Amino acid sequence: MSPANDLPLRLRAHHTECVSADGAVLDVVATVRGEEPVDADVRHDDLAEVILLDSSGSMGAPQAKMRAAWRATAAAIDALPDGVAFAVVAGTAHATMVYPVDRRLAVADETTRAAARKALRHVTPHGGTAIGTWLLLARQLLATRPDAIGHVILLTDGRNESQLPADLRAAVDDCVGRFTVDCRAIGSADGVHDWDAAELLGIAEALGANPVVPVEDLNGLADDFRAVLTRAMSRRVPDVRLRVRTTGLARVRFVKQVHPALADLSGRGEPAGELGTDYPVGAWSPHDQRDYHVALEVDAMAPGASRRIGWLSVHAGAATTPVEVPLDVEWTEDALRYSEINESVAYYTRQQDYAAAVQRGLAAARAGRVVEAEEQLGRAVALAHATGRDDDVALLARVVDVLDAADGRVRLKPDVDARLTQSSLVVAHHTSRWGPQEPPAQRVAPAGPPAPWRHCREEQTGAYCQGCGTHHLSADRPAGRS
């Protein structure tokens, strides 16, 4: 562990110590954890919150959705500490101020919280859904407080039907780095969801990489909003960056967040000096922990050589001392040594494999490719069952009959309603955290060297396919098939 003198963050790096003398990919899991600083001065006047409340016509069908949304928003307002800048916005085909009535942020106190709760009574469901306009208004409001850590709660029950997809993407891109968002997506108790998983996952991945949470029990929505708001109000560091700095012996293949939700950060890297790249990872509280999978392509080297191939560090502004850990490896021709897979890498690789199998399986089902759908969704069921994710198996059982969970044998249900698949798609991106705190059912034993396996029509003996770089734990086809 490498502490920082003036930054309430800690960084650990987990990886194998050896790589093939012929060159390889080194997988590193970086764990970044927030810690409460000594003599912390808790302030709230440097925080800003915008609640985006879907009030389109579908929120009134049934009216129970709108009532639950009112109660949840009121609970979030009540949880706002004095001094926080805030606003409530009603979202339809347009974005409309609920409180305050003009386009500005109010400052939370007893009077403004009461006024905001009263204003909620005038919100009635009507019109369409244009989520991009809601996000742009949140951006405009939060821009009036550039010194504050901005956060948005986005509640919706529908897809972005009143706006072109390109306009939504442009709006999301315009908000990157301005604030983070927590998305809540309302469906029915029987699992029917009219919102679009891909839309909400795209918003979440770009704006903080927090999990998208489907809501089927409206009775719990108020408590959930209160908890989300409380977490947001504990943030202390506005802009943390994970920096990957390499020597000439390695290059970055990808950087992904693997906990609490899967998100590919590779395309968001920004140059940071010679051979360094910064990946923005959002605002942090003393209680946050996020894990990242960093893959480095390592050059060949003579067996027995030991070198430093790079460093990982976390940064929170020029005035702070970064937390940094070195990455050292040894090159070897011993396949037993270089094929060993670090436990944390194996743990998160399997969860990424589960998400990929769900996505591929549901895509095949929508396209009518039944055999492929059953193969991929069966694989997802087996992975979920093996790691104790029984709730995920139950979600997948909405679209397949599970014949044998352990063996991954499933049968696709006829005429699957696509609205039943949305919750599985977003929950597949949720991950449990690797580490000693995991319950035994969710732990994965350390993986040893893989048995010979086939990929790209050739036999593979290492952890990665030599043709395309696919990890053997994530290969699309089981061993023995090309």
Side-chain angles (χ1 to χ4, degrees):
M1 180 183 297
S2 296
N5 296 328
D6 48 11
L7 185 67
L9 296 175
R10 297 293 183 270
L11 171 66
R12 287 181 183 270
H14 311 270
H15 62 89
T16 57
E17 297 179 355
C18 295
V19 296
S20 168
D22 295 329
V25 174
L26 180 71
D27 292 291
V28 183
V29 169
T31 295
V32 183
R33 181 192 299 272
E35 290 191 2
E36 191 73 56
V38 178
D39 299 325
D41 180 18
V42 178
R43 296 175 51 193
H44 296 117
D45 57 358
D46 57 356
L47 301 173
E49 183 73 27
V50 176
I51 301 172
L52 300 179
L53 175 61
D54 188 340
S55 56
S56 61
S58 60
M59 286 291 288
Q63 188 68 22
K65 289 193 287 187
M66 197 73 241
R67 288 196 294 268
W70 288 333
R71 290 193 296 270
T73 304
I77 291 169
D78 285 341
L80 287 167
D82 287 352
V84 174
F86 79 102
V88 181
V89 172
T92 59
H94 309 282
T96 305
M97 296 296 298
V98 175
Y99 185 83
V101 293
D102 50 345
R103 294 196 169 196
R104 63 178 178 86
L105 296 172
V107 177
D109 59 26
E110 185 175 348
T111 300
T112 56
R113 284 191 292 267
R117 290 194 303 271
K118 182 177 180 180
L120 284 174
R121 303 173 192 170
H122 302 292
V123 178
T124 56
H126 67 283
T129 304
I131 298 174
T133 65
W134 314 351
L135 293 169
L136 288 177
L137 180 52
R139 179 189 182 282
Q140 178 184 339
L141 293 168
L142 293 170
T144 65
R145 286 293 309 275
D147 57 317
I149 301 175
H151 178 261
V152 168
I153 299 177
L154 168 60
L155 175 71
T156 187
D157 77 330
R159 61 188 64 230
N160 200 58
E161 60 185 9
S162 303
Q163 189 177 38
L164 293 174
D167 292 334
L168 174 59
R169 288 194 297 271
V172 171
D173 289 342
D174 206 28
C175 295
V176 170
R178 307 287 181 167
F179 56 82
T180 58
V181 66
D182 275 282
C183 295
R184 295 297 182 265
I186 292 181
S188 65
D190 57 358
V192 174
H193 296 267
D194 291 315
W195 41 269
D196 186 277
E199 285 180 352
L200 295 186
L201 286 170
I203 293 169
E205 181 171 307
L207 305 179
N210 292 319
V212 176
V213 178
V215 178
E216 296 176 0
D217 178 9
L218 295 176
N219 293 324
L221 187 59
D223 286 341
D224 179 58
F225 262 43
R226 192 178 293 110
V228 170
L229 199 286
T230 300
R231 287 196 301 273
M233 295 300 98
S234 68
R235 292 179 176 177
R236 298 288 178 268
V237 185
D239 181 23
V240 176
R241 290 165 180 262
L242 176 67
R243 179 171 297 176
V244 183
R245 187 162 59 95
T246 61
T247 65
L249 296 172
R251 291 152 303 285
V252 176
R253 172 177 279 193
F254 64 73
V255 176
K256 299 177 182 179
Q257 178 180 282
V258 289
H259 179 75
L262 301 176
D264 193 344
L265 308 180
S266 305
R268 301 199 178 276
E270 303 171 0
E274 186 176 1
L275 298 177
T277 307
D278 277 356
Y279 297 88
V281 295
W284 282 70
S285 80
H287 311 293
D288 285 339
Q289 175 176 318
R290 293 181 181 253
D291 291 352
Y292 303 92
H293 183 176
V294 179
L296 298 174
E297 296 181 0
V298 182
D299 291 341
M301 183 72 74
S306 296
R307 297 285 190 279
R308 179 159 297 171
I309 63 168
W311 299 261
L312 297 181
S313 56
V314 285
H315 297 251
T320 59
T321 302
V323 179
E324 186 172 72
V325 294
L327 301 175
D328 300 328
V329 298
E330 177 186 343
W331 284 259
T332 180
E333 292 181 323
D334 185 343
L336 291 177
R337 296 182 68 199
Y338 69 66
S339 296
E340 183 179 353
I341 303 170
N342 181 270
E343 180 181 1
S344 63
V345 173
Y347 184 81
Y348 284 125
T349 299
R350 286 182 170 88
Q351 295 194 67
Q352 294 176 74
D353 191 25
Y354 169 77
V358 170
Q359 289 179 304
R360 287 192 293 259
L362 293 178
R366 289 193 297 271
R369 302 191 300 272
V370 175
V371 173
E372 181 185 350
E374 290 179 345
E375 179 182 356
Q376 293 295 335
L377 293 175
R379 184 180 188 184
V381 165
L383 284 166
H385 175 77
T387 54
R389 296 176 61 152
D390 295 335
D391 289 345
D392 290 0
V393 175
L395 284 178
L396 292 171
R398 292 172 174 175
V399 297
V400 296
D401 294 317
V402 180
L403 307 179
D404 186 329
D407 204 34
R409 290 194 300 112
V410 302
R411 182 172 54 240
L412 189 67
K413 293 182 177 180
D415 302 320
V416 171
D417 187 341
R419 297 178 301 169
L420 292 171
T421 68
Q422 303 306 308
S423 55
S424 290
L425 283 168
V426 298
V427 171
H429 284 72
H430 299 187
T431 59
S432 56
R433 190 175 69 187
W434 174 81
Q437 72 287 337
E438 292 296 337
Q442 293 183 319
R443 297 297 305 279
V444 178
W453 56 293
R454 291 191 64 80
H455 206 258
C456 292
R457 301 187 180 278
E458 294 183 0
E459 184 174 275
Q460 309 292 334
T461 56
Y464 287 87
C465 171
Q466 294 300 304
C468 68
T470 296
H471 197 287
H472 84 97
L473 293 177
S474 296
D476 289 344
R477 300 181 182 275
R481 295 173 61 182
S482 56

